[in-house]
Amino acid sequence: MNTRPAITLVLGDITDQHVDALVNAANSSLLGGGGVDGAVHRRGGKAILDDCRRLRASRYGKGLPTGRAVATTAGELHAEHVIHTVGPVHSATEDRSDLLASCYRESLRVAGELGARSVAFPAISTGIYGWPMDDGARIAVRTVLESAPASVTDVRFVLFDRAAYQAFETALAEQG
């Protein structure tokens, strides 16, 4: 049985977090983009992009598949590693909840392999990918509580605005 990690909610910028592993809500190209992805690449610097280019030139020539996760250096961020994961675009006609949960599970798996004790997550897929915040928060909290390896003892959800914070606060309360 997994030991539950301590979960903290943080209102702020994920790139300010001092953690072992920072999760990036990446796009499949791994080469930067908007939102969290753009902020991680800008703040982390060229070393992250260089690692991502190496990944594209080797294992992920067609890009990182949705629901998967891969680690790179954290460059100039206050972390040892960045774990890139590609969230699903929300669909009103197709249930993609398993893909969203997979982003959190796979990120935690990679964090465990890296020996990370502290991990910071954004609210994956809830920005431009259109996932409803309440549902995204529920999936995120449940998956982290069910999937965190014993080595990961500190999980932070870093939320950009008050509405996201409140959605995660509610989801956390519902999980007990």
Side-chain angles (χ1 to χ4, degrees), residues 14-15 17-25 40-41 44 47-48 51-52 55 69-85 107-122 152:
I14 195 166
T15 64
Q17 295 299 301
H18 293 252
V19 289
D20 296 330
L22 185 148
V23 177
N24 178 24
V40 166
H41 277 270
I48 295 173
D51 265 8
C52 286
L55 287 167
V70 65
T72 66
T73 182
E76 297 173 31
L77 296 170
H78 305 292
E80 293 297 315
H81 307 278
V82 171
I83 298 172
H84 305 267
T85 190
S107 295
L108 288 165
R109 180 188 59 75
V110 171
E113 290 173 358
L114 295 169
R117 295 178 52 80
S118 57
V119 180
F121 281 99
V152 176

Side-chain angles (χ1 to χ4, degrees), residues 11-97:
L11 183 60
D13 182 344
I14 195 166
T15 64
D16 290 334
Q17 295 299 301
H18 293 252
V19 289
D20 296 330
L22 185 148
V23 177
N24 178 24
N27 63 50
S28 64
S29 79
L30 294 174
L31 302 178
V36 170
D37 193 22
V40 166
H41 277 270
R42 278 190 305 277
R43 189 97 179 257
K46 187 177 180 314
I48 295 173
L49 183 58
D50 289 347
D51 265 8
C52 286
R53 284 184 174 140
R54 280 190 282 279
L55 287 167
R56 285 298 305 269
S58 60
R59 295 189 298 188
Y60 298 106
K62 294 181 181 178
L64 183 65
T66 301
R68 300 281 307 275
V70 65
T72 66
T73 182
E76 297 173 31
L77 296 170
H78 305 292
E80 293 297 315
H81 307 278
V82 171
I83 298 172
H84 305 267
T85 190
V86 180
V89 173
H90 183 261
S91 170
T93 60
E94 179 185 351
D95 182 5
R96 297 180 179 167
S97 300

